[in-house]
Amino acid sequence: METVAPAMDLVLGASACCLACVFTNPLEVVKTRLQLQGELQARGTYPRHYRGLMASIVAVARADGLCGLQKGLAAGLLYQGLMNGVRFYCYSLACQAGLSQQPGGTVVAGAVAGALGAIVGSPAYLVKTQLQAQTVAAMAVGHQHHHQSVLGALETIWRQQGLAGLWRGVGGAVPRVMVGSAAQLATFASAKAWVQEKQWLPEDSWLVALAGGMISSIAVVAVMTPFDVVSTRLYNQPVDGAGRGQLYGGLADCLVKIWRQEGPLALYKGLGPAYLRLGPHTILSMLFWDELRKLARRGQHQST
């Protein structure tokens, strides 16, 4: 993959993912509600307010209005900017250092870059999850935190739980983004190169990046969804006075409790919306990133 300066990749990666977030945030709201529905309850023992993608979109719109489909957008944009800016910057550095040329290098670089991005963006993802879970009492799933805004949520968490409270749940976010980032960055680069090799499409066409993103999205959803469910649960759970989670002690505890009390398929709750969210988000992010990088390279060539 042709490279641009890491600082430029930071800006381009953050911008591309923020653009994608605007389009896919409604699916993120639906996915969050589905993943929290029936928390630690056996199937068939709880009311199902959200059933499938289209019915869930209608349910959210009825309960919260059309604007409810963009709940948590500001926090989502903040998260995408922070997490993906760091992720693409670190990945670009690794590529410049030649790591991507080593066996398995793209996977390692993608995983490490994703982990660093997840740590930086964790407070924003925490607030995003809690805001998207909020709704009227009759349609509520999961714990309701009653935040009024992104800044209000950050202030409340800081005041009640201290600085560490803003990073509560990061233990679930890091493996989530590590596996997703490794799958996305590694498969996108490989898939794009494969499509170019086959010469089915013009080499510089945006359709090459689109095809690479479509292939990449399948791998991302397959490996990321269980960690996504766990991450949503850890971020949204209520806490005690000491800031400890009242439902889960951490990543392993959450996985075990979901498996035992809800069954293994619960780790793929919201899979449909997750794919329809992650798929377009992956495609749009990688497409925007790839096209922006082309523009940046052209600008560099013209300046020289």
Side-chain angles (χ1 to χ4, degrees):
M1 183 184 294
E2 295 181 69
T3 60
V4 298
M8 182 63 73
D9 256 334
L10 185 153
V11 175
L12 299 181
S15 300
C17 293
C18 284
L19 281 171
C21 179
V22 173
F23 295 101
T24 60
N25 190 66
L27 295 168
E28 183 75 8
V29 174
V30 170
K31 182 211 71 173
T32 298
R33 302 278 178 92
L34 285 168
Q35 289 178 343
L36 290 170
Q37 185 168 248
E39 186 169 19
L40 298 183
Q41 299 176 67
R43 186 176 177 85
T45 64
Y46 56 86
R48 294 181 62 192
H49 302 305
Y50 306 98
R51 295 172 178 266
L53 176 63
M54 295 309 300
S56 296
I57 289 174
V58 172
V60 171
R62 283 179 175 170
D64 304 316
L66 287 175
C67 290
L69 290 168
Q70 286 290 13
K71 273 195 172 184
L73 178 60
L77 291 171
L78 178 60
Y79 170 72
Q80 293 294 337
L82 290 171
M83 193 275 284
N84 285 296
V86 171
R87 184 168 72 105
F88 281 100
Y89 177 76
C90 294
Y91 185 73
S92 184
L93 282 177
C95 288
Q96 283 199 356
L99 182 59
S100 60
Q101 305 302 316
Q102 305 300 318
T106 53
V107 175
V108 173
V112 173
L116 293 172
I119 292 169
V120 172
S122 186
Y125 198 91
L126 169 70
V127 171
K128 178 196 75 69
T129 301
Q130 295 181 1
L131 286 172
Q132 290 176 337
Q134 289 181 185
T135 186
V136 296
M139 297 294 289
V141 291
H143 183 71
Q144 301 290 289
H145 291 270
H146 306 295
H147 298 309
Q148 299 301 314
S149 65
V150 176
L151 289 177
L154 291 169
E155 181 185 358
T156 299
I157 295 167
W158 176 290
R159 188 176 63 251
Q160 295 179 355
Q161 303 169 36
L163 181 63
L166 293 172
W167 272 268
R168 182 174 57 80
V170 71
V174 168
R176 170 187 175 274
V177 179
M178 280 183 73
V179 297
S181 179
Q184 183 189 61
L185 292 171
T187 57
F188 176 74
S190 302
K192 187 184 167 193
W194 180 73
V195 172
Q196 287 174 327
E197 249 180 56
K198 296 297 180 181
Q199 298 182 335
W200 292 328
L201 300 165
E203 187 174 349
D204 290 331
S205 171
W206 62 271
L207 291 171
V208 174
L210 178 63
M214 290 175 68
I215 297 170
S216 177
S217 66
I218 297 171
V220 172
V221 174
V223 301
M224 196 173 178
T225 298
F227 294 100
D228 199 35
V229 173
V230 169
S231 188
T232 297
R233 299 286 183 88
L234 290 175
Y235 276 128
N236 194 66
Q237 69 174 327
V239 296
D240 60 22
R244 293 186 296 264
Q246 294 183 1
L247 298 178
Y248 312 105
L251 173 68
D253 183 54
C254 185
L255 280 168
V256 170
K257 284 181 176 177
I258 292 173
W259 184 287
R260 287 179 176 173
Q261 298 185 40
E262 301 176 53
L265 290 180
L267 291 169
Y268 280 90
K269 274 188 175 181
L271 177 63
Y275 174 74
L276 292 174
R277 203 286 299 182
L278 282 170
H281 191 275
T282 299
I283 292 167
L284 290 171
S285 296
M286 302 312 286
L287 176 59
F288 290 151
W289 178 54
D290 198 63
E291 290 301 306
L292 288 170
R293 292 174 102 248
K294 286 179 184 176
L295 291 174
R297 288 196 298 271
R298 286 172 191 158
Q300 288 175 350
H301 292 156
Q302 288 173 0
S303 65
T304 55

